[in-house]
Amino acid sequence: MSKGNIRLLSDTLAKAKAEDRAALVAYLPAGFPTVDGGIEAVKAVIAGGADVVEVGLPHSDPVLDGAVIQTADDIALRGGVRIADVLRTVREAHEATGAPVLVMTYWNPIDRYGPERFAAELAEAGGAGCILPDLPVQESAPWREHADKHGLATVFVVAPSSKDARLATITAAGSGFVYAASLMGVTGTRESVGNEAQELVRRTRATTELPVCVGLGVSNAVQAKEVAGFADGVIVGSAFVKLLLDAPDLPAGLAAVRALAGELAEGVRRS
């Protein structure tokens, strides 16, 4: 039975901590701008300095995602992206870089594909785990059993609206790290990430030893530095996707993504 890379994920986050910095976690959707282009984009963010990558499984109704990621998902879906392409993206990106690669996905596609089959195939592709923003923790035990069996992390999302007791329930069920959504609402770049996120990290840390990574809104090195001051990891998605959307061609997009990853990697160093 193939084993996934939860251990690599944990080691990578621990290494960043040992270097007195936050980990840089990048998000990119599979199949965007094409399947091959998406694989190159993941390699580019890692080459630029990302420690961990989340590969998005494009969804026709991405409730948590803002306009930028929705646009990219539409392009990927129109291009005919399939779960097999998502798994191929994970495999090729991980094989080329050695970095931990997770899949971020809504539950419905996994449920339809077959959770046990998806866990087995993700592990076999070298995946480190899944981020499941809309899977209710109280319904997650069957999935977590498959994930544990295959050495995969199950990352849950907490939000400022989560009460303390609820935070404890969520973090007790999760593994790998906790994804702290810095504000209520959808993904996208924000002017300020700020106080709500810091308070959420403090409350989340009171319930768990897992690293807490903050996403939703970080788009530049200044914000990355701010979040690195209180979180274990800084998650950036829309800013990378926007560069690829705005680029005149793929090589220009890859260069821009790599450069931003380099700036953010500097930003997450606390010194």
Side-chain angles (χ1 to χ4, degrees):
M1 189 184 73
S2 54
K3 291 301 274 181
N5 270 313
I6 184 172
R7 183 69 195 276
L8 173 65
L9 174 65
S10 300
D11 289 350
T12 301
L13 293 169
K15 180 172 179 281
K17 186 176 185 173
E19 292 170 1
D20 190 36
R21 64 183 180 86
L24 175 59
V25 183
Y27 166 92
L28 287 164
F32 166 77
T34 60
V35 176
D36 289 342
I39 291 167
E40 292 308 313
V42 175
K43 292 181 193 171
V45 292
I46 295 167
D51 298 289
V52 178
V53 176
E54 306 171 3
V55 171
L57 194 157
H59 194 266
S60 51
D61 183 28
V63 286
L64 275 183
D65 294 305
V68 169
I69 289 171
Q70 282 192 19
T71 301
D73 276 7
D74 284 345
I75 291 167
L77 291 166
R78 282 207 303 273
V81 72
R82 295 279 175 272
I83 285 182
D85 300 311
V86 178
L87 294 166
R88 186 185 140 214
T89 302
V90 171
R91 172 182 280 106
E92 294 194 12
H94 172 65
E95 280 177 359
T97 63
V101 183
L102 299 104
V103 169
M104 182 159 186
T105 179
Y106 295 95
W107 181 243
N108 188 34
I110 304 305
D111 199 31
R112 284 211 308 261
Y113 191 76
E116 186 162 17
R117 177 185 171 202
F118 186 80
E121 291 181 11
L122 179 57
E124 201 268 320
C130 261
I131 300 163
L132 299 162
D134 68 338
L135 176 63
V137 170
Q138 60 276 17
E139 295 167 26
S140 68
W143 160 260
R144 286 188 283 126
E145 203 175 304
H146 299 313
D148 290 347
K149 189 173 89 178
H150 289 287
L152 298 169
T154 297
V155 177
F156 289 112
V157 178
V158 297
S161 59
S162 308
K163 303 276 186 283
D164 289 347
R166 175 99 184 117
L167 282 178
T169 304
I170 294 171
T171 59
S175 55
F177 65 91
V178 181
Y179 187 128
S182 67
L183 32 87
M184 302 307 295
V186 298
T187 59
T189 60
R190 295 287 192 293
E191 292 305 306
S192 153
V193 182
N195 298 341
E196 223 174 14
Q198 189 163 358
E199 178 61 12
L200 176 58
V201 170
R202 188 191 66 73
R203 291 171 51 225
T204 304
R205 281 210 179 119
T207 71
T208 183
E209 296 291 304
L210 289 172
V212 182
C213 301
V214 170
L216 274 60
V218 177
S219 61
N220 60 48
V222 173
Q223 291 170 331
K225 191 173 188 66
E226 182 194 350
V227 174
F230 59 81
D232 299 296
V234 179
I235 302 169
V236 180
S238 297
F240 288 122
V241 176
K242 191 170 188 325
L243 289 175
L244 289 168
L245 279 171
D246 292 348
D249 55 36
L250 182 62
L254 296 176
V257 158
R258 184 173 176 161
L260 177 61
E263 290 163 28
L264 293 166
E266 283 301 306
V268 298
R269 294 176 189 282
R270 301 197 177 103
S271 52

